[in-house]
């Protein structure tokens, strides 16, 4: 369970960073605008990976819990 909480926290922080870096697209300097186009994609990819990993860990946890309950019922 501890790893799943880490992935959920990573997904939330990445979402916040996507929103924060999206405002860089309105910057007056060209290099900062360039970073504002790529950084949200980068943080979005990290957030998607972390959310997917947390979901898969939750499915695995539920599967093991169901097997354990079925085993004890027999």
């Amino acid at each position: 369970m501890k790893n799943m909480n880490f992935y959920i926290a990573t997904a939330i922080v990445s979402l916040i960073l996507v929103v924060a870096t999206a405002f860089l697209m309105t910057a007056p300097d060209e290099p900062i605008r360039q970073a504002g186009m790529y950084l949200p994609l980068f943080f979005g990819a990290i957030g998607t990976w972390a959310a997917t990993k947390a979901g898969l860990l939750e499915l695995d946890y539920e599967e093991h819990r169901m097997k354990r309950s079925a085993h004890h019922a027999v």
Side-chain angles (χ1 to χ4, degrees), residues 5-68:
N5 291 334
F6 173 75
Y7 290 124
I8 291 171
T10 303
I12 291 170
V13 169
S14 294
L15 179 64
I16 292 169
L17 288 172
V18 165
V19 172
T21 56
F23 288 107
L24 291 175
M25 287 188 245
T26 61
D29 297 332
E30 181 62 29
I32 295 174
R33 275 198 310 266
Q34 290 288 331
M37 291 182 185
Y38 295 112
L39 282 176
L41 292 173
F42 176 71
F43 289 127
I46 291 174
T48 302
W49 172 79
T52 303
K53 189 76 169 170
L56 291 174
L57 283 173
E58 175 65 23
L59 287 174
D60 189 47
Y61 173 75
E62 292 291 328
E63 184 179 309
H64 286 300
R65 194 174 74 173
M66 290 295 219
K67 283 183 182 177
R68 216 176 347 194

